[in-house]
Amino acid sequence: MHVRELDELLSDAAFRVADAAFHMLYADRPFLYAFQLLVSRRVRQIDLSAYPEVFLRPGVLRRPNSLPAWVKRAVFHRDRGRCQRCATDLTGVAITNETIRIDHIVPLAESGTNDPTNFQLLCEKCNLDKAASIGFDEQRVHTYW
Ligand SMILES: [Zn+2]
């Protein structure tokens, strides 16, 4: 009886901790960058033949047709509506003609993933300048205080 109650308690606690941990880590862009570099090393080692629908070629995942709206909103809010390279305001309040780009921090060509933790907000110019390079600018990490 006690064990079953403890199991339920632990399951509930694990769910709550996982959710809270994701929220904290999702805001930590340096951590996400380091994590995505580790993931990209693993992506290069995956046997392509086991997942032909997922890979474009060895070590390169297919680009999604579109991103879910919730992913775009999450990236926009985490990056506070600013280009993560040049800090241009992309909220549309002050400048209304900027195009928002959701960029792969570790590009697909470098074995990056389509995971929400591998995206950053960029303006059109910075997205074109970055192209397929690995791009993360720690200077653009903003603390909440
Ligand atoms: Zn920019």
Side-chain angles (χ1 to χ4, degrees), residues 114-125:
N114 294 307
D115 185 273
T117 61
N118 190 34
F119 293 116
Q120 65 181 346
L121 192 65
L122 292 182
C123 70
E124 177 86 21
K125 180 186 179 310

Side-chain angles (χ1 to χ4, degrees), residues 17-89:
V17 167
D19 200 38
F22 177 80
H23 280 83
M24 288 173 48
L25 292 175
Y26 189 69
D28 187 344
R29 294 181 67 245
F31 167 79
L32 296 179
Y33 177 64
F35 174 71
Q36 286 298 323
L37 288 177
L38 286 173
V39 171
S40 70
R41 280 188 226 146
R42 180 66 183 109
V43 167
R44 287 187 199 109
Q45 299 168 348
I46 296 174
D47 178 15
L48 169 69
S49 62
Y51 309 98
E53 71 285 354
V54 175
F55 285 92
L56 183 64
R57 58 181 187 269
V60 178
L61 295 166
R62 292 183 186 278
R63 183 176 299 276
N65 292 332
S66 65
L67 294 177
W70 69 266
V71 171
K72 294 176 186 175
R73 281 195 302 271
V75 172
F76 185 88
H77 288 291
R78 184 206 54 212
D79 293 346
R80 300 178 191 174
R82 292 206 172 259
C83 174
Q84 295 304 295
R85 286 199 137 182
C86 72
T88 293
D89 180 354

